[in-house]
Amino acid sequence: MSSSAFRPADYIDNERGLISREIFVNPELHRQELDKLFTRAWLFVGHESQVPLAGDFFQSRMGDESVILCRDKAMQLHVFLNSCRHRGMKVCRYDSGNTSLFTCPYHSWAYGLDGKLLGVPQFRELYQHTLDKDANSLITVGRMHNYKGAVFATWDPGAPDFETWLGGAKEHLDLVLDCRDGRPGGSEVIGVHKWIFPSNWKFAAENFLGDTYHNISHRSVDLIGIGPSARAGVTGRRDNEMDKAKHIWAGFPAGHGVHSAILPEDNEYIPSFMNDPEVEEYFRHCFYERKRRMGEKSRLIPFTGNLFPNISFHGRQPRNLCNWHPHSPTETEGWRFFLVDADAPAVVKDFLRRYYMRYSGPAGMTEQDDMENWLYATAASRGAIARRHPFNYQQSLGKWDVTAEGGHNSWQVSEQNPRNYYRVWAEFLNGSPWDVLVGGDPSYRQQAAQ
Amino acid sequence: MSETLERRLATHPRYAALQAEVAEFLFHEVELIDDRRYDEWLALLAEDLVYFMPQRMNVKFGEHAARENTRAGTGISWFEEDKWTLGKRVAQIQTGVHYAEEPLSRVCHMLSNVRITAAVPSLDDPAEVTVSSRFLVYQNRVEYENYTFIGKRHDVLRRHGDSWLVARREILLDQTVLLAKNLSIFF
């Protein structure tokens, strides 16, 4: 398949709810994702709390490429491609640290914290003063945005503003990044898991888009109880905060999708974090403080979500942001950034980190089962016969409300979020302009016009 | 642990016998894991067990002591568990629907370089010993999945009758990015 021959309809049939297995295994489609999607989409790079001081850096990734998130002496954040302009060697090979220069090990070109090329050995003799240092600065991202401490970037200078891209998913992302008592922002990253698994990256993203249907695959942890109140006899892997809530699966024009929950009008605190009375007291306080501060809006609480293309989150129990970095069509590097309120008491932070570790990531009792599913779903999609048969995405087809924004709300477990996600995916691979990429489903506009 | 002290330990008349006893205990312990006799394995863990596997990081020369490994008691690691969570992990496998270990992996632990690096209060009558070792753990899963975990272990064993209990285990896996989809096995 040549790139010019790419026709989205060959892979994504949202009317019938059929999506080709090719998009999870095909090397050419993967190459096009790297060329056309990861070079344009807003991507999550890291959190400001990982680089609090001047000179701090964190080596991150965008797509399959290494980037540096750093803070310069004027406390400005930057994101650069981690590659020397001369012969491409990584100029930073530490996972994190503090420096005043990024010096390439190969020929010793040295760059400042603002990316400027400062040092070129034998500059006078070998380059006769003609080398344009400004033009040979580290390659910088097209746009960068620090949203409540979470740093996002895109290689495309023509990309829309971060918040335009985010659209209505903003109020759901806020639920992840805001303090538990409702104060805006204030989160910090307390650690990052990094691991490689043999699966297409989109299986991971889809999991968080609101695939609540896969809940059954976590039956083992639900049976034994690993939640924040497990020692107090509560089964399951989380507390029962959403027991009386109305669940919502919301999709947004730019391809984001979330599963959140709306508490009843006369909601009261549901005891949680009961393993430790001090922690329980803290979350009880946060619940009422948030309610006081946010009023009606406090009824919305987060579960999971995925910001297009590869930024997933768990909003509450546990609480983290994830990146699914593509390595190959069938290999993904997962990064999970664990979040707490920066000013939470030490006992709360300690409780949360232990809960996160037993729940999340490759050592987490819940998510091990996810990795097993993603691996074997990918592997079983490779076969010539298998690839003739698209995946079934017909769940709750047509069962959604169109929103004013051009997204959708579904009030039952639904695959409308992935259908919407792959619609945007196809537009990226189609090379569509940004107004289409963030414009929502054209059929919704038709519906609205009728 | 200073080099001098280690040498003094190793030349102590009781060292060889104690080292053999401790090694035998550790070999027995991993055999229980490989044989999937998880409840018997749990019985060898002290009630106040700390089971810790830090994450490793690439840091600048000179920063290794301070920053190469994540630390117990703060932040995120691969494992920082107590006996309760390890018991939960065993119970999870025993549900028969923990799909990351259903069907069960084949796991083979190889332990070597077993050395006693401290004994409290003394080698003559130790209540606790600190033991360093190397591990090579092979995991074969379903048909084609193979993972090799290599690293160092630092264990604190506590005398318990004529045997020992594991009171603390630090597992230093020699990888930064985990080159495996899961850590669904015991170390």
Side-chain angles (χ1 to χ4, degrees), chain B residues 92-118:
Chain B
Q92 185 185 21
I93 290 170
Q94 291 169 341
T95 63
V97 289
H98 175 29
Y99 298 110
E101 279 300 328
E102 182 61 34
L104 282 170
S105 299
R106 285 153 291 281
V107 179
C108 188
H109 284 71
M110 281 164 274
L111 280 187
S112 73
N113 308 35
V114 177
R115 299 172 69 219
I116 297 170
T117 58

Side-chain angles (χ1 to χ4, degrees), chain A residues 114-129:
Chain A
D114 57 0
K116 290 267 166 59
L117 178 60
L118 298 178
V120 175
Q122 302 175 75
F123 180 71
R124 198 173 305 174
E125 300 89 322
L126 303 183
Y127 292 95
Q128 291 84 38
H129 296 288

Side-chain angles (χ1 to χ4, degrees), chain A residues 95-96 192 224 369 372 376, chain B residues 55 58 67 88 100 145 181:
Chain A
D95 296 327
S96 65
V192 185
I224 61 165
D369 291 329
E372 189 82 0
Y376 286 96
Chain B
Q55 289 176 253
N58 295 297
R67 296 189 56 237
K88 287 288 180 185
E145 275 187 84
K181 81 175 199 293

Side-chain angles (χ1 to χ4, degrees), chain B residues 125-136:
Chain B
D125 186 21
E128 282 191 352
V129 289
T130 304
V131 187
S132 101
S133 60
R134 298 289 182 271
F135 64 83
L136 189 165

